[in-house]
Amino acid sequence: MRTVNKVILIGNITRDPLVKTTEGGKKVALFTIATNRYYKDANGENQSEAEFTNCVAWGNLAERIETFLKKGKLVYAEGRLKTRKIEREEWDTLYKTEVVISNIIFLDKRVHSDSSESTDELDSIDSDIF
């Protein structure tokens, strides 16, 4: 039977991405996307809960993210979950789950110079294109 590992997020970047270059010369971008869950509590009052998701992008996509992605930017991101095992000491193992990004679309409200109204403009970066 076939399985599915797909994540879709729409949220804001919490800080400027950290971009590194591996020993092999490949770029990797690390960043966090903040999303909110809205619900009603037992008393019927509206509540919200923030979630902060660690994300990683590789190669040409990381280069584009380095150029265009900034803190506070609203994004649509697609990817897959990946859990890494990090051995810190002989007795200490850390597991870190991240979304490996395969596609990101920058969602931004921009003001046109001839109008005071905002319009939605989509800036897309697809890992298959770059």
Side-chain angles (χ1 to χ4, degrees), residues 10-15 31-36 51-53 70-75 107:
I10 296 177
N12 294 93
I13 303 302
T14 61
R15 64 180 183 275
F31 57 98
T32 303
I33 297 176
T35 56
N36 290 303
E51 181 69 32
F52 301 94
T53 305
K70 302 292 180 219
K71 177 183 177 180
K73 186 86 168 167
L74 180 65
V75 296
L107 306 173

Side-chain angles (χ1 to χ4, degrees), residues 13 15-20 27-31 57-71 73 75 104 106 108 110 123-125 130:
I13 303 302
R15 64 180 183 275
D16 289 348
L18 173 63
V19 179
K20 300 178 182 182
K27 286 221 176 181
V28 58
L30 305 169
F31 57 98
W58 291 91
N60 292 332
L61 186 57
E63 291 175 13
R64 301 294 185 207
I65 286 171
E66 180 179 31
T67 303
F68 298 111
L69 201 59
K70 302 292 180 219
K71 177 183 177 180
K73 186 86 168 167
V75 296
I104 194 163
F106 300 154
D108 193 17
R110 302 198 188 211
D123 298 322
S124 177
I125 293 181
F130 297 104

Side-chain angles (χ1 to χ4, degrees), residues 7-128:
V7 176
I8 297 174
L9 299 168
I10 296 177
N12 294 93
I13 303 302
T14 61
R15 64 180 183 275
D16 289 348
L18 173 63
V19 179
K20 300 178 182 182
T21 304
T22 66
E23 291 179 11
K26 195 170 191 178
K27 286 221 176 181
V28 58
L30 305 169
F31 57 98
T32 303
I33 297 176
T35 56
N36 290 303
R37 179 176 79 94
Y38 298 98
Y39 63 96
K40 290 191 183 227
D41 64 16
N43 298 326
E45 295 188 28
N46 292 328
Q47 301 290 328
S48 72
E49 179 179 83
E51 181 69 32
F52 301 94
T53 305
N54 294 319
C55 300
V56 61
W58 291 91
N60 292 332
L61 186 57
E63 291 175 13
R64 301 294 185 207
I65 286 171
E66 180 179 31
T67 303
F68 298 111
L69 201 59
K70 302 292 180 219
K71 177 183 177 180
K73 186 86 168 167
L74 180 65
V75 296
Y76 166 94
E78 290 180 11
R80 63 183 170 81
L81 285 177
K82 175 69 177 166
T83 302
R84 293 188 288 138
K85 182 177 178 182
I86 303 166
E87 301 284 345
R88 297 195 320 177
E89 295 179 19
E90 289 181 23
W91 53 269
D92 189 17
T93 301
L94 177 70
Y95 294 91
K96 184 171 185 178
T97 301
E98 303 165 313
V99 176
V100 179
I101 301 298
S102 59
N103 182 32
I104 194 163
I105 299 171
F106 300 154
L107 306 173
D108 193 17
K109 295 199 183 273
R110 302 198 188 211
V111 178
H112 290 289
S113 60
D114 60 345
S115 171
S116 61
E117 294 180 27
S118 294
T119 60
D120 288 341
E121 182 175 308
L122 301 179
D123 298 322
S124 177
I125 293 181
D126 190 324
S127 63
D128 294 332

